[in-house]
């Protein structure tokens, strides 16, 4: 595992925190995510919680970005409602983020320990779905 860190994108954290404060309501939407596109734009989303499960904010962000024509993200962060601050992605999201964006940077940590790390650091010795697909002939 590398321990490479990158500059923290505070504007991205603020964008996710703003969405968490203004758009997360009740139990259905409790997390917000913000992603920085390769061309510098910010895309935001919220989770869609349901007792049967539901997509996390990071996964909704992938779909939202695609709907806006964005297929490459540079950095992502998730922030919880009720001033919970930066929340690291769950295991499922880590795997999906790695498969969609293997060079993605993820903001993690809390307080003065907030840092930006490669998604690969969140899944050491990970399974990469694309590496195990049979070539179509």
């Amino acid at each position: 595992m590398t321990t490479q860190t990158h500059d923290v994108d505070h504007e991205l954290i603020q964008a996710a925190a703003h969405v968490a404060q203004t758009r997360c309501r009740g139990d259905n939407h409790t997390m917000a995510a913000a992603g920085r596109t390769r061309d510098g734009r910010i895309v935001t989303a919220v989770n869609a919680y349901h007792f049967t499960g539901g997509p996390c904010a990071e996964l909704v962000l992938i779909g939202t970005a695609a709907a806006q024509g964005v297929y490459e993200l540079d950095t992502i962060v998730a922030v919880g409602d009720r001033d919970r601050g930066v929340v690291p992605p769950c295991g499922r999201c880590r795997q999906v983020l790695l498969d969609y964006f293997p060079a993605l940077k993820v903001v993690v940590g809390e307080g003065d320990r907030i840092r930006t790390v490669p998604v690969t650091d969140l899944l050491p010795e990970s399974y990469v779905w694309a590496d195990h697909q049979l070539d179509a002939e």
Side-chain angles (χ1 to χ4, degrees), residues 77-101:
V77 65
V79 172
D81 67 347
R82 298 177 299 239
D83 296 320
R84 289 184 289 146
V86 173
V87 177
C90 72
R92 175 180 67 169
C93 287
R94 291 174 189 214
Q95 184 67 54
V96 173
L97 292 170
L98 174 68
D99 288 337
Y100 272 74
F101 312 108

Side-chain angles (χ1 to χ4, degrees), residues 2-131:
T2 68
T3 52
Q4 177 183 12
T5 58
H6 303 272
D7 291 335
V8 174
D9 188 337
H10 292 284
E11 182 184 22
L12 195 63
I13 296 170
Q14 290 171 347
H18 177 74
V19 170
Q21 279 183 328
T22 61
R23 301 292 184 242
C24 290
R25 302 275 189 240
D27 293 336
N28 294 331
H29 308 291
T30 59
M31 293 291 298
R36 172 85 60 190
T37 67
R38 292 272 167 92
D39 65 4
R41 291 179 287 154
I42 293 177
V43 178
T44 60
V46 298
N47 69 321
Y49 180 79
H50 189 264
F51 73 90
T52 61
C56 297
E58 297 93 333
L59 301 184
V60 175
L61 180 76
I62 292 170
T64 301
Q68 295 177 19
V70 175
Y71 300 97
E72 293 295 328
L73 293 176
D74 181 66
T75 307
I76 193 169
V77 65
V79 172
D81 67 347
R82 298 177 299 239
D83 296 320
R84 289 184 289 146
V86 173
V87 177
C90 72
R92 175 180 67 169
C93 287
R94 291 174 189 214
Q95 184 67 54
V96 173
L97 292 170
L98 174 68
D99 288 337
Y100 272 74
F101 312 108
L104 183 70
K105 296 176 293 228
V106 182
V107 179
V108 296
E110 57 185 63
D112 55 353
R113 292 195 55 230
I114 290 184
R115 62 202 182 282
T116 304
V117 299
V119 68
T120 53
D121 280 8
L122 300 178
L123 283 169
E125 299 186 42
S126 61
Y127 173 88
V128 178
W129 183 77
D131 291 347

